[in-house]
């Protein structure tokens, strides 16, 4: 495993020059959905390409124009077309796939449930009727805060059936985070669970929700799924159990017609400020993009068993557990819990049990399995697997090779897929029947997608060079705006490299990347103040503002440092107020405080107390220096600092903190 980012960079460099490649086998190529290079040429006329792909979706009435880009960066796809996404995902499958399994649900405690497309259709209709009875109508926002149970995808679809807008908040977020997201979108109804199962324990979702609901004036009703059956307080007139709501409802519900550009969902993601951004996705283009990429990147066939291990609380679950697979009429596994309950072989037991054919997970999970050892996958029969994929962060070549050997058993193409909450669907990835892969590279933009790597001035860098990853033209699943803040949308994504006077609009993804001599893209991580911890985006500012919110903290600086398992780990540097003593008890308290403000995923791995933070003479905190300290790099010239002496002291404390951390592991 790489010890530091320097080692990792060297490894990538070595691999880039070594050019170890994996071509698709003749057998795989022959049966693949896409197996001719010509699809890339077709994708060059991207408007025409995406018009052709739209035939895979069920529309009520067609568009008058494929793409309206007359008011950039505000795009409209399939202009004027009407549809309801649930008709593509459910109704149209009833005729010939009504008895086909939509979801195999595997509860963490071992309970199971099988939902056919017909079952799912009826469940969605019942809940849609129930939500309508609570006053939900087209355009209303519904917040969803649940564990991974069947009622979760059912909730998304029921909201969509009414033409309403869902805003899923990951069940690992805290009450405060839930409150802020509910308030930003002014959601009318919240759907939650009594509790959820996690690692053999219970997460008190309804209790967290109750804490949030004291300060969410827009919420009128709360629907509660009974998962564990815990005895929880229900507020008279506001709270209703899911089963009580749907039991007497009809299982038929006509879908509400929506415009292709009506909003489908809001999903919050971290940016470079303390306030998360509500990424807004609309209907027609999103479904076309999710369906195309699911079918072709994962080479889905009618009798395949698909499993994406993400949580529906993240975009990966939205696109590749709910909308893409259901639009394609696929059978998928929905697993509630963690990979190591009751034992570290749980994922592989599930692959064996359901004969999973395509498996999609995150590099951090793969690295965790590497740490646990090969005995766990070796216990299970993984021969059903045909293809395996990754998403969420750069995959280091060592993990890629391990995944290939121990999970793919040397005969599954690996698709390393680059995309973001904002892009809605996969953008850069191999096509498994066409692309020769290189471990650590997401390879090339998909057909119909334009990407480039540019320098500080926005000029395309030559092959072999590195810079910023940009997207060069609109695509169907692109975010349409930041909810309630169009200026921020323009500013964050489109201002850095666009040249409006020349009519040039370029999307800036926030990622650094290199391109090798063959034109392959190598993603190198975020170039902004966003960390990527276990594939989850967390902003340094969000964690800093949670820390300074604590009464003992005067100032805080947070950086992401390389971590062999989680990709990055959160390292915090904290200056305390007055005579407060920075002891272990306070350290624990601060970590807990961040968990309460944001969620456990944002808890700093290390906190160093320091009398001062390193600052430039103009008073800017030198985060880059703190990152160098955290990653034990040789420190450059610090003489430009206002307080150079403090650096040595911080470096010594960081060293001590990291050896404490290691000895705890
Ligand atoms: C990172 C997850 C390298 C990247 C779908 C991006 C990746 C951010 C990859 C988006 C990959 C995602 N290789 N980096 N294959 N996939 N990323 O919004 O930094 O949670 O900007 O979407 O994850 O994270 P998000």
């Amino acid at each position: 495993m790489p010890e530091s980012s320097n080692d990792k960079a060297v490894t990538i460099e070595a691999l880039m020059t070594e050019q170890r490649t994996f071509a698709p086998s003749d057998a795989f190529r022959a049966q693949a959905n896409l197996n001719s290079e010509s699809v890339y040429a077709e994708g060059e006329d991207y408007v025409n390409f995406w018009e052709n792909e739209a035939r895979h979706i069920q529309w009520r009435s067609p568009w008058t124009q494929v793409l309206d880009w007359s008011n950039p960066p505000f795009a409209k796809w399939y202009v004027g077309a009407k549809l309801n996404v649930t008709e593509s995902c459910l109704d149209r499958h009833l005729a010939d796939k009504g008895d086909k399994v939509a979801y195999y649900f595997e509860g963490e405690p071992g309970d199971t449930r099988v939902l056919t497309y017909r079952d799912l259709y009826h469940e969605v209709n019942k809940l849609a009727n129930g939500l309508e009875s609570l006053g939900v109508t087209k355009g209303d926002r519904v917040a969803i805060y649940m564990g991974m149970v069947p009622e979760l995808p059912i909730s998304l679809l029921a909201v969509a059936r009414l033409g309403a807008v869902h805003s899923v908040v990951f069940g690992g977020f805290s009450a405060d985070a839930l409150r802020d997201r509910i308030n930003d979108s002014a959601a009318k109804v919240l759907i939650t669970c009594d509790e959820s199962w996690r690692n053999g324990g219970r997460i008190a979702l309804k209790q967290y929700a109750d804490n949030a609901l004291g300060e969410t004036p827009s919420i009128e009703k709360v629907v509660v799924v009974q998962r564990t059956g815990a005895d929880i307080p229900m507020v008279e007139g506001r709270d209703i159990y899911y089963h009580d709501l749907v039991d007497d409802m009809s299982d038929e519900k006509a879908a509400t017609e929506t415009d292709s550009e009506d909003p489908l969902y809001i999903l919050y993601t971290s940016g470079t400020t303390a306030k998360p951004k509500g990424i807004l996705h609309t209907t027609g283009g999103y479904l076309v993009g999710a369906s195309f990429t699911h079918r072709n990147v994962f080479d889905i066939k009618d009798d395949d068993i698909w499993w994406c291990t993400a949580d529906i609380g993240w975009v990966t679950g939205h696109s590749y557990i709910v909308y893409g697979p259901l639009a394609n009429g696929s059978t998928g596994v929905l697993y509630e819990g963690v990979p190591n309950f009751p034992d570290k072989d749980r994922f592989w037991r599930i692959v064996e049990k359901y004969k999973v054919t395509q498996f999609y997970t995150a590099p951090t999970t793969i690295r965790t399995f590497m740490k646990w050892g090969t005995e766990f996958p070796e216990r299970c029969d993984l021969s059903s697997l045909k293809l395996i994929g990754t998403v969420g962060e750069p995959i280091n070549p060592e993990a890629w090779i391990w995944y290939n050997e121990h999970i793919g058993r040397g005969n599954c193409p690996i698709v390393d897929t680059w995309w973001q909450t904002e892009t809605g669907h996969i953008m850069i990835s191999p096509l498994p029947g066409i692309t020769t892969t290189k471990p650590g590279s997401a390879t090339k933009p998909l057909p119909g997608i334009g990407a480039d790597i540019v320098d500080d001035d926005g000029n395309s860098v030559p092959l072999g060079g590195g810079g910023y990853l940009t997207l060069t033209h609109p695509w169907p699943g692109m975010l349409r705006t930041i909810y309630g803040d169009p200026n921020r949308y323009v500013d964050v994504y489109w201002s850095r490299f666009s040249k409006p006077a020349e009519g040039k609009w370029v999307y800036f993804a926030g990622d650094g990347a290199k391109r090798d001599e063959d034109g392959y893209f190598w993603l190198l991580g975020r170039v902004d103040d966003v960390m990527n911890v276990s594939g989850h985006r967390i902003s340094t500012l969000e964690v800093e503002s949670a820390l300074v919110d604590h009464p003992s903290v005067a100032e805080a600086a947070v950086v992401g440092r390389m971590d062999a398992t989680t990709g990055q780990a959160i390292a915090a540097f904290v200056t305390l107020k007055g005579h407060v003593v920075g002891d272990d008890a306070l350290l624990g308290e601060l970590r807990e405080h961040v968990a309460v403000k944001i969620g456990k995923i944002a808890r700093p791995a290390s906190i160093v107390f320091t009398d001062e933070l390193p600052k430039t003479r103009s008073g800017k905190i030198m985060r880059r220096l703190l990152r160098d300290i955290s990653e034990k790099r040789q420190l450059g010239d610090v003489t430009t600092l206002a307080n150079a002496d403090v650096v040595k002291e911080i470096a010594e404390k960081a060293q001590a903190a990291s050896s404490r951390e290691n000895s705890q592991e």
Side-chain angles (χ1 to χ4, degrees):
M1 298 294 290
E3 290 288 315
S4 72
S5 61
N6 287 346
D7 294 350
K8 183 168 169 169
V10 167
T11 315
I12 287 183
E13 291 300 338
L15 267 138
M16 282 176 74
T17 42
E18 189 188 308
Q19 299 279 330
R20 188 163 172 199
T21 58
F22 293 77
S25 68
D26 290 344
F28 193 94
R29 188 188 294 268
Q31 61 81 61
N33 291 346
L34 292 179
N35 52 16
S36 163
E37 281 279 350
S38 63
V39 67
Y40 289 98
E42 286 161 30
E44 275 172 24
D45 182 355
Y46 71 92
V47 174
N48 188 48
F49 180 85
W50 290 116
E51 176 156 40
N52 287 335
E53 284 307 323
R55 72 191 151 82
H56 292 279
I57 294 308
Q58 177 145 328
W59 304 86
R60 286 194 181 182
S61 59
W63 46 91
T64 53
Q65 194 184 353
V66 182
L67 167 66
D68 177 357
W69 191 233
S70 60
N71 180 30
F74 298 94
K76 289 186 184 151
W77 281 88
Y78 311 109
V79 182
K82 307 291 177 200
L83 75 162
N84 181 291
V85 289
T86 65
E87 291 180 339
S88 285
C89 294
L90 301 170
D91 305 49
R92 67 164 164 169
H93 301 315
L94 295 182
D96 57 346
K97 291 182 179 165
D99 295 326
K100 181 174 177 176
V101 174
Y103 290 120
Y104 284 112
F105 169 69
E106 170 96 4
E108 194 188 74
D111 57 323
T112 59
R113 206 172 141 191
V114 179
L115 283 118
T116 64
Y117 271 92
R118 186 169 297 104
D119 297 334
L120 189 61
Y121 168 83
H122 289 311
E123 295 295 331
V124 167
N125 285 336
K126 283 179 139 196
L127 181 59
N129 280 317
L131 291 173
E132 192 178 57
S133 77
L134 299 180
V136 175
T137 59
K138 188 173 170 181
D140 284 343
R141 274 80 56 212
V142 175
I144 299 174
Y145 182 63
M146 297 169 70
M148 283 277 284
V149 288
E151 290 82 357
L152 175 53
I154 290 168
S155 295
L156 273 68
L157 294 162
V159 171
R161 193 142 183 104
L162 297 173
V165 183
H166 55 74
S167 166
V168 182
V169 179
F170 172 56
F173 277 122
S174 68
D176 285 13
L178 174 64
R179 176 199 62 204
D180 294 347
R181 285 158 176 75
I182 288 175
N183 288 339
D184 188 79
S185 64
K188 195 171 188 178
V189 168
L190 171 70
I191 310 176
T192 187
C193 296
D194 52 0
E195 296 177 324
S196 71
W197 290 113
R198 187 125 198 109
N199 207 5
R202 295 152 179 252
I203 308 282
L205 288 177
K206 174 63 162 59
Q207 190 187 315
Y208 296 146
D210 280 336
N211 292 343
L213 288 165
E215 296 170 289
T216 55
S218 61
I219 294 285
E220 294 168 14
K221 299 283 176 189
V222 179
V223 180
V224 183
V225 174
Q226 209 164 36
R227 173 58 181 140
T228 65
D231 188 14
I232 51 161
M234 297 286 280
V235 173
E236 184 79 38
R238 187 195 71 182
D239 301 354
I240 180 166
Y241 275 113
Y242 182 102
H243 54 265
D244 289 332
L245 177 67
V246 303
D247 268 359
D248 295 330
M249 292 291 162
S250 160
D251 59 12
E252 293 293 338
K253 171 79 195 157
T256 302
E257 184 165 286
T258 61
D259 187 89
S260 177
E261 282 300 334
D262 279 338
L264 175 63
Y265 68 82
I266 302 167
L267 188 57
Y268 287 85
T269 189
S270 292
T272 50
T273 71
K275 187 174 181 283
K277 305 172 285 195
I279 302 301
L280 184 85
H281 282 290
T282 58
T283 303
Y286 172 77
L287 197 65
V288 172
S291 149
F292 168 81
T293 49
H294 175 252
R295 194 168 52 250
N296 294 307
V297 171
F298 304 111
D299 199 48
I300 299 291
K301 302 290 194 293
D302 208 29
D303 51 3
D304 282 342
I305 311 289
W306 160 250
W307 184 22
C308 164
T309 69
D311 192 293
I312 294 175
W314 308 107
V315 74
T316 306
H318 282 60
S319 298
Y320 300 110
I321 297 178
V322 185
Y323 291 110
L326 296 179
N328 292 332
S330 313
T331 296
V333 171
L334 183 70
Y335 172 55
E336 180 180 32
V338 298
N340 53 337
F341 184 87
D343 200 355
K344 297 186 178 86
D345 61 3
R346 185 66 183 273
F347 271 19
W348 317 122
R349 294 260 171 244
I350 292 173
V351 169
E352 177 180 79
K353 176 173 173 187
Y354 296 103
K355 301 197 167 42
V356 171
T357 47
Q358 289 95 344
F359 176 79
Y360 190 35
T361 196
T364 185
T365 311
I366 297 165
R367 289 191 297 265
T368 304
F369 287 126
M370 284 174 76
K371 212 162 64 180
W372 288 341
T374 53
E375 59 175 293
F376 300 102
E378 276 163 10
R379 278 183 195 166
C380 303
D381 178 5
L382 305 182
S383 61
S384 57
L385 288 172
K386 299 194 293 191
L387 175 146
I388 54 182
T390 74
V391 61
E393 56 179 311
I395 177 162
N396 48 312
E398 295 85 344
W400 196 105
I401 300 282
W402 188 93
Y403 196 35
N404 179 51
E405 282 174 12
H406 298 286
I407 307 304
R409 302 152 347 274
N411 63 19
C412 293
I414 295 185
V415 288
D416 170 1
T417 63
W418 179 89
W419 59 296
Q420 309 177 297
T421 305
E422 292 86 342
T423 69
H425 50 77
I426 297 168
M427 304 292 281
I428 302 178
S429 158
L431 283 172
I434 302 176
T435 315
T436 292
T437 54
K438 303 181 187 184
S441 168
T443 75
K444 296 189 176 185
L446 289 175
I449 300 300
D452 195 8
I453 298 175
V454 302
D455 63 18
D456 279 311
D457 300 323
N459 301 314
S460 185
V461 300
L463 294 186
Y468 306 101
L469 178 65
T470 59
L471 300 170
T472 52
H473 60 69
W475 63 99
M478 64 192 276
L479 79 163
R480 298 305 195 262
T481 190
I482 292 175
Y483 188 75
D485 201 347
N487 292 337
R488 192 174 174 203
Y489 165 69
V490 178
D491 192 46
V492 170
Y493 302 108
W494 299 93
S495 64
R496 176 100 185 246
F497 296 114
S498 296
K499 298 195 172 86
E502 297 165 29
K504 188 177 159 203
W505 287 90
V506 175
Y507 173 94
F508 174 44
D511 280 344
K514 287 189 173 191
R515 195 161 32 185
D516 68 18
E517 299 297 337
D518 298 329
Y520 277 51
F521 287 68
W522 298 73
L523 279 308
L524 301 173
R526 305 288 306 187
V527 293
D528 53 15
D529 290 327
V530 176
M531 299 173 286
N532 190 328
V533 181
S534 299
H536 303 318
R537 278 164 69 172
I538 300 167
S539 118
T540 54
L541 253 122
E542 226 176 323
V543 181
E544 286 171 7
S545 68
L547 285 166
V548 295
D549 177 76
H550 189 280
S552 302
V553 174
E555 201 171 30
V558 165
V559 298
R561 72 168 142 79
M562 300 301 295
D563 182 275
T565 306
T566 59
Q568 284 188 310
I570 302 177
F573 298 83
V574 169
T575 311
L576 296 169
K577 280 184 189 156
H579 300 291
V580 179
V581 180
D583 55 13
D584 278 357
L586 183 60
L587 205 139
E589 202 179 306
L590 290 183
R591 292 184 76 232
E592 216 28 59
H593 190 71
V594 176
V596 168
K597 297 304 287 183
I598 306 172
K600 286 183 184 157
I601 51 168
R603 256 188 326 214
S606 61
I607 298 180
V608 170
F609 294 119
T610 168
D611 295 338
E612 267 181 275
L613 291 168
K615 287 184 184 164
T616 62
R617 287 176 210 273
S618 61
K620 257 186 97 175
I621 298 174
M622 292 282 286
R623 286 196 184 73
R624 183 176 310 210
L625 190 72
L626 292 172
R627 206 172 304 131
D628 287 344
I629 290 174
S630 303
E631 295 178 353
K632 305 191 184 84
R633 261 194 296 275
Q634 193 74 43
L635 300 182
D637 183 13
V638 295
T639 49
T640 55
L641 288 182
N643 49 357
D645 308 346
V646 72
V647 174
K648 190 161 166 275
E649 180 202 322
I650 296 178
E652 281 164 11
K653 286 186 176 165
Q655 182 70 39
S658 100
S659 42
R660 251 203 323 274
E661 220 183 299
N662 290 339
S663 65
Q664 280 166 8
E665 271 179 9

